[in-house]
Amino acid sequence: MVNLASKFQAQPWWLLLVSSLLVSNIHPRANAEPQVPCYFIFGDSLSDSGNNNDLATTAKVNYSPYGIDFPEGHTGRFCNGRTMQDIIVQLLGFQEFIPPFATARGQEILKGVNYASGSAGILNESGQQLVSI
């Protein structure tokens, strides 16, 4: 029986092919309407854009060095710059990043909301060790 995982690991050409096909279909358009009317984000720390800032948790990143490469500074993203979701939002043609649920208000909600939260998980036990009540 052929082990497909080892076959794909030995030949990285497939990753280049798939990524070039995905990127070739998404072109940012300057001064154009977004390609989709709204964008809602669900996830964990890989997509969180500041939902944990006001929660009773130690899973917060609204301080240095997080955000040092982000134009707005420390936002609560679990990285030093843009998240994968921020990049997708820009490629889709949005002029601004999708706001976190914790700070989204009024008409902002109609273009989308980021519900992602660091230390989130599918199990009830996910992130329990980070609660600081």
Side-chain angles (χ1 to χ4, degrees), residues 11-81:
Q11 299 176 355
W13 57 266
W14 69 270
L15 183 59
L16 180 62
L17 176 67
V18 170
S19 61
S20 64
L21 287 172
L22 289 173
V23 172
S24 66
N25 290 325
I26 302 175
H27 300 287
R29 293 172 173 78
N31 299 324
E33 288 294 317
Q35 295 181 28
V36 294
C38 58
Y39 190 69
F40 292 91
I41 302 166
F42 300 91
D44 57 8
S45 59
L46 297 176
S47 302
D48 189 352
S49 63
N51 283 314
N52 284 6
N53 292 349
D54 296 327
L55 295 179
T57 179
T58 57
K60 294 183 187 187
V61 290
N62 53 348
Y63 53 86
S64 291
Y66 299 102
I68 58 174
D69 295 330
F70 195 73
E72 298 173 18
H74 315 297
T75 60
R77 286 169 170 79
F78 284 72
C79 61
N80 65 334

